[in-house]
Each structure stands twice: as structure tokens, then as C-alpha cells.
Amino acid sequence: MKAAKLIVQCLENEGVAYIFGVPGEENMDLIEALIGSSICFVMTRHEQGAAFMADVYGRLTGKAGVCLSTLGPGATNLISGVADANMDRAPVVALTGQADRDRLHKESHQHLDIVSLFRPVTKWNTTLPIPDIIPEVFRKAFKLAQSEKPGATHIEIPEDIACMETEGQPLLVQWLHPGGAAPEQIDKARRIIAEARHPIVLAGNGVIRGHSSEALVRFAEKMNIPVATTFMAKGVIPDTHPLSLGAIGLETLDYVNCEFLEADVVIAIGYDIVEYAPHTWNPNRDKKIVHVDLSSAEVDSSYIIKVGVVGDITSSLEALTDRGDAHAATRSSRYRQMLRDELAQSDRDTSFPLKPQRILADLRSSLAHDDIVISDVGAHKVWLGRLFPCFLPNTCIISNGFAAMGIALPGAVAAKLAHPNRRVVAVTGDGGFLMNSQELETAVRMSTPFVVLVFNDGGLGLIRWKQMQQFGRSAYVEFNNMDIVKYAESLGAKGYRIASAEELAPVLRTALSANTLSIIDCPVDASENLLLTQRLGTLP
């Protein structure tokens, strides 16, 4: 059989349902081999969109998302999305075409050393020098992409390899079943927690990947310890739970950070320092840290651990819960109440353009607990991360490792394919929206109905915010937008423009109930960004 056919068999063997990508001359054999396959090829309008779709698909399902490009410029277009997946710990396998091997030794049309280019943004990558090793290479790529910490792998497929004849069959898919932590580490952690005066849990995205949310809540309840989450772990404890403190993620002091000022022991569960730097919550390096994760702790001067409970997170938490006693200290969180009050007061605000708090209050009231929000990167991400209540894991997808703009819209396509019976909202700024807005056509063509909520402030709001803080003025961050409603309609989607605060909630409900792609152009009051900084500046 052709090598390309064997590649497709290996992908089917790994349970791949979708490949996101753009056809090109150097991957035509693989595209041809996909005809009649159980795998659905999703042709995107840009390779970056394909990589972001694979990224979000991997994060939502735990199975490697697959993206495909041709050689040269097609491959380089994948890099931002692949890097985002790698740093956000989302399993992705990227496939790129390459020129025939007989011209790789010299200057040649569209030829780049793609393997070297992808090395810094992947866990592992390689080229296929001969077709006979295809089963081994593909099994390794998926195994490494899906193993802790998950991330991106990459396989380069030279054009002449893809069309060669070969024999072989896919290898048996084997899953790693991690064991529990060492009993002595459990005992040491239990003693540190028992002796703490003000312990606090910091839960990270590893809790979601380990399907350990229920174990985390049981641990917190048994031990009577409050829980803060990173932006990427929102929902691992319901926002309404009395022990939930909310999410931590601002570079400056926020309400939740104030809880860490009082803490003497931090129990970091599934926490990864790429999500939120340790120096922001342990600036004096005086916290006793209990590290609970499947992976050992990264070295950081503000993250020197007292004990590492390394093993399956669920079994480690169950062991700590079984052997622990309820912590006597109780604390009423006035800071957590301040955060809740900030959102509650917003649903009565009628100012226009809308304040970001009002937008989020209306969004939350329009969604079910298991509906999915995909956040882009920008000022709106700060508001969404710190203020938007979540009740279930993986219902608010925020890129806070690599934090690449442009992820929300293509990510929403993947989310709808992964969970067709759940409603999906892509929350984006007007800057991030235009970075991959061409994927609106992909969404219409693939019949993936979701809502795009655009925070429209006519500029790069997050950069403007930071410029105003640092320099007292902004520069080169303003731009003009097209008519977003007409743009949506030109692609076969439904467009809405919000003209008053009272309009947003009913428009959201209408768009969410419609079986079509909808884009909502919502003017936002960007002055609230600096006002937030000023309010938080009065905290101790």
C-alpha cells in the first residue's frame, strides 16, 4: 500500500476523528488517502486556525488534536498554535509536508528545516526518512503528546515518502496508568497541612487533565481548606461552593491574592508555573508549599517545595483525605465576597458602552453550567478569568501559558465538533477577532453553530491598559473596524449590534437558541480597565 494510506490507518488506530488543515502540493497524497476514511478532514482558511482548532480539541477531549499543513509557509503558519498547545499542555500532533528528499541538501523552492524550527515548540518532533517506520513514529508521537505533561509533537512527511509503497500495520495503542505517590510523602504532606495556621489550596489545570475535580472538592471539604484556582483551572470547584475563593491570575494584587498574603501553607494541586508565576503569590518566598501533581515540581526560586506528592492526583488526594483531619481554623473571606459583589452589582448597570462586568453578568445568566466559553487573549480575558463564575471543569477555556491571540474563534469550531450538544461562545476582543475571523467561513461550512461575542473598543485594549499604567498615555493601539454585522452576514452568519445595555441579554438568548453561527458586536467601556487597577491599588 502507499505510505500515505498506512499513515491514515495509524491515525484511525489512534482514534483520530478530525484533522484540521490546509491542502497543498506536498500533502496531496495524504489528502487523497483520507477519502473514504472515518476521519473528517476540516479544511481551514489558514494554518494558524487549524493549529488552534487542534489545540482546543486536545484540551477539551484529552485526545491529541491533529493539524496538517504543507511545507514552508504552510508549516510556519502552524507555529503559534502548536506553541500554544505545547505551553498550555494540550495534546496535539502536527503533520507537515516537505519537499522530496533528493532536494533537501541544497537551496530549494519553499524548503526550510522545519524539524529544527519546531524543536523549541514541541515535546518531540522528527522527519520520516523511510516509510517502514511509520507505525513506530506515529505511535510515539501520540504517546508523547498525550502523556503528562501533554503537549505538541510534530512529524514531517517528505512528498516522495508519502507516495512510496510499504508494508506495515498500526501498533497497539497502550495507555500509561500512573501509580500513586509514595506513602512517606503522603504522611509528610499530611503533617505539614495539619500544622498549618492558614492553609490554602491552589488548583491548576492538571486537576482537569487528571479528572480529579471531585477528589479535590472532597479533600477541601474534609480538610476545611479554601480553594483558589488558576485561570486555566476555572470550574474545578463550583464557584458557589463556600470554600471557593475564585480564580487567581492578575500580575497585580487582586482580591484572591489577598488570601495568599495570609496563608502560611499553599497546597498546589495540578499547578503548573506557566499558568501563573509563583512570585506573584509567594513574593517573600515564605510559604510552605505542598506540591501534588503527576509531574515533579519545576525549579523556581519562589516555588521551593517542602514536599512533593508525585503520582496520580486523584489517588494522592484520596490518600490525603482519608488520613487527614478537618482543619480547625475557619476564615470568612471578605475578599471573595467583594469579588461576588462586583459581578452581582453589574447586572443593574445601564451605562453604554457596556462595562465588562455587565457583559459577563449577562453572559453567565444566559448559559447553562455545562455550556462552553472559549476566551481569546486581551483585556476581556482578564475580566473573564477573574470574574466569570464557573461550575464545571473545562467550561471556560483560557490560554494562559503561551497566551496567543486569535485562539477563540477557531477554538470554538473545535469545541462545537467535540461537544455538538453543548452551546459554545467565543469571547474575543475586536483585535483577536480579526486575527482569525476567516474561520467564520469554516464554521458555516462545517455547520458548527456557536456565538462569537466581540468586546469592541476600537483598539488593543490590554496594551492600552498597560501603556496607561506605565507611561500615562497610549500609542499605536487604535484601529478602525469594519461593519461586523455586515461582515458576518456576508459569510452566511447572523450578525447583531448592541446599542444599549438592556439589549445584550435578550440578544444572547436569541443567538444561543438559534441553530446558526451568530456574531455579536458589543461596544465595551475600556475605561473600566484602569478603574479596576485603581480599585485594586487600595488593597493591602
Side-chain angles (χ1 to χ4, degrees):
M1 77 180 93
K2 269 190 176 184
K5 188 66 176 177
L6 179 56
I7 289 172
V8 171
Q9 290 181 1
C10 289
L11 294 169
E12 292 171 338
N13 183 58
E14 296 291 343
V16 174
Y18 299 97
I19 296 176
F20 308 97
V22 179
E25 290 182 55
E26 286 72 21
N27 61 26
M28 286 196 302
D29 284 283
L30 185 54
I31 296 293
E32 175 70 16
L34 284 168
I35 297 174
S37 168
S38 61
I39 299 171
C40 175
F41 181 75
V42 179
M43 192 201 80
T44 63
R45 301 304 300 269
H46 193 281
E47 291 87 355
Q48 186 180 104
F52 280 140
M53 290 179 197
D55 178 354
V56 172
Y57 188 89
R59 188 161 158 187
L60 282 172
T61 66
K63 298 178 181 179
V66 180
C67 54
L68 171 69
S69 79
T70 188
L71 82 174
T76 58
N77 282 344
L78 285 177
I79 285 183
S80 289
V82 171
D84 190 89
N86 200 51
M87 196 169 287
D88 277 13
R89 317 309 186 197
V92 162
V93 174
L95 309 176
T96 62
Q98 185 52 281
D100 290 348
R101 291 169 300 162
D102 63 3
R103 61 185 180 98
L104 300 185
H105 65 286
K106 58 186 178 182
E107 292 184 9
S108 185
H109 178 65
Q110 290 193 315
H111 169 243
L112 281 176
D113 184 352
I114 297 298
V115 172
S116 295
L117 200 63
F118 272 66
R119 188 168 294 122
V121 299
T122 55
K123 293 178 69 177
W124 175 79
N125 86 126
T126 192
T127 190
L128 280 176
I130 56 173
D132 294 347
I133 63 171
I134 286 172
E136 290 180 348
V137 168
F138 275 77
R139 177 79 280 270
K140 181 173 182 178
F142 278 84
K143 180 179 180 179
L144 290 178
Q146 295 169 162
S147 299
E148 281 291 324
K149 299 176 182 178
T153 58
H154 163 245
I155 304 171
E156 178 185 78
I157 308 169
E159 185 177 11
D160 56 335
I161 291 288
C163 63
M164 284 184 175
E165 293 294 320
T166 188
E167 297 297 328
Q169 58 185 5
L171 301 182
L172 177 67
V173 174
Q174 296 175 304
W175 293 92
L176 177 68
H177 298 285
E184 57 269 26
Q185 300 302 90
I186 295 287
D187 288 339
K188 186 176 180 181
R190 180 184 55 79
R191 289 194 298 271
I192 293 171
I193 295 169
E195 294 168 0
R197 292 177 293 104
H198 296 297
I200 190 171
V201 168
L202 174 57
N205 187 243
V207 176
I208 295 179
R209 298 196 305 269
H211 306 284
S212 305
S213 298
E214 292 181 3
L216 168 68
V217 173
R218 287 195 299 269
F219 168 77
E221 291 175 343
K222 170 71 178 294
M223 306 299 288
N224 191 32
I225 299 175
V227 178
T229 76
T230 63
F231 283 2
M232 292 178 64
K234 287 172 69 68
V236 295
I237 184 170
D239 189 77
T240 50
H241 196 287
L243 290 171
S244 171
L245 296 174
I248 188 169
L250 286 190
E251 295 176 7
T252 55
L253 193 67
D254 199 354
Y255 303 130
V256 186
N257 298 70
C258 294
E259 300 286 348
F260 282 82
L261 295 178
E262 301 176 12
D264 59 331
V265 172
V266 176
I267 308 152
I269 304 174
Y271 163 74
D272 191 322
I273 66 173
V274 302
E275 299 181 57
Y276 189 54
H279 71 81
T280 53
W281 53 265
N282 189 20
N284 300 320
R285 305 176 187 175
D286 56 351
K287 315 296 183 189
K288 292 181 180 179
I289 299 172
V290 177
H291 175 85
V292 182
D293 198 13
L294 193 55
S295 303
S296 58
E298 176 63 274
V299 175
D300 186 287
S301 57
S302 295
Y303 196 70
I304 303 301
I305 65 174
K306 278 292 183 181
V307 58
V309 181
V310 179
D312 175 70
I313 294 176
T314 297
S315 61
S316 295
L317 287 173
E318 288 172 345
L320 287 169
T321 303
D322 291 342
R323 301 181 194 183
D325 297 316
H327 204 274
T330 57
R331 286 182 290 162
S332 60
S333 175
R334 68 182 180 94
Y335 296 112
R336 179 62 179 122
Q337 191 56 48
M338 290 165 69
L339 195 63
R340 288 175 172 163
D341 290 345
E342 184 179 336
L343 186 65
Q345 293 164 4
S346 303
D347 59 10
R348 298 187 296 272
D349 190 283
T350 59
S351 58
F352 187 84
L354 282 76
K355 292 182 179 178
Q357 302 96 312
R358 171 66 190 262
I359 298 174
L360 296 184
D362 285 354
L363 177 62
R364 181 68 273 174
S365 67
S366 303
L367 294 173
H369 286 187
D370 65 345
D371 290 334
I372 299 170
V373 171
I374 312 290
S375 175
D376 217 304
V377 174
H380 66 279
K381 184 186 86 169
V382 173
W383 290 101
L384 195 75
R386 64 182 293 271
L387 205 59
F388 187 71
C390 290
F391 309 97
L392 293 169
N394 255 354
T395 55
C396 184
I397 302 300
I398 296 177
S399 172
N400 215 37
F402 194 62
M405 285 183 71
I407 189 174
L409 202 162
V413 175
K416 195 63 181 177
L417 291 173
H419 296 290
N421 296 322
R422 292 160 69 178
R423 297 183 299 180
V424 175
V425 179
V427 179
T428 181
D430 46 358
F433 172 66
L434 274 186
M435 286 189 172
N436 277 309
S437 65
Q438 72 280 349
E439 303 308 338
L440 290 172
E441 190 279 327
T442 306
V444 171
R445 177 168 27 91
M446 294 300 300
S447 300
T448 50
F450 57 87
V451 175
V452 183
L453 177 58
V454 182
F455 280 51
N456 189 339
D457 65 355
L460 301 176
L462 182 61
I463 307 306
R464 183 197 293 128
W465 184 357
K466 291 180 178 293
Q467 287 176 336
M468 293 299 295
Q469 284 182 266
Q470 188 166 345
F471 304 114
R473 63 182 181 184
S474 63
Y476 311 115
V477 291
E478 315 297 330
F479 49 70
N480 297 318
N481 285 314
M482 86 292 267
D483 187 321
I484 292 176
V485 172
K486 289 182 179 178
Y487 182 45
E489 292 172 346
S490 73
L491 292 167
K494 179 67 176 176
Y496 301 88
R497 180 173 295 108
I498 303 303
S500 70
E502 293 82 2
E503 285 185 7
L504 179 59
V507 166
L508 274 168
R509 288 192 291 268
T510 298
L512 285 164
S513 63
N515 189 34
T516 189
L517 179 65
S518 301
I519 295 87
I520 301 174
D521 179 1
C522 184
V524 61
D525 182 1
S527 68
E528 278 295 307
N529 298 336
L530 274 177
L531 292 175
L532 173 64
T533 303
Q534 293 167 8
R535 287 197 302 274
L536 296 181
T538 65
L539 292 173

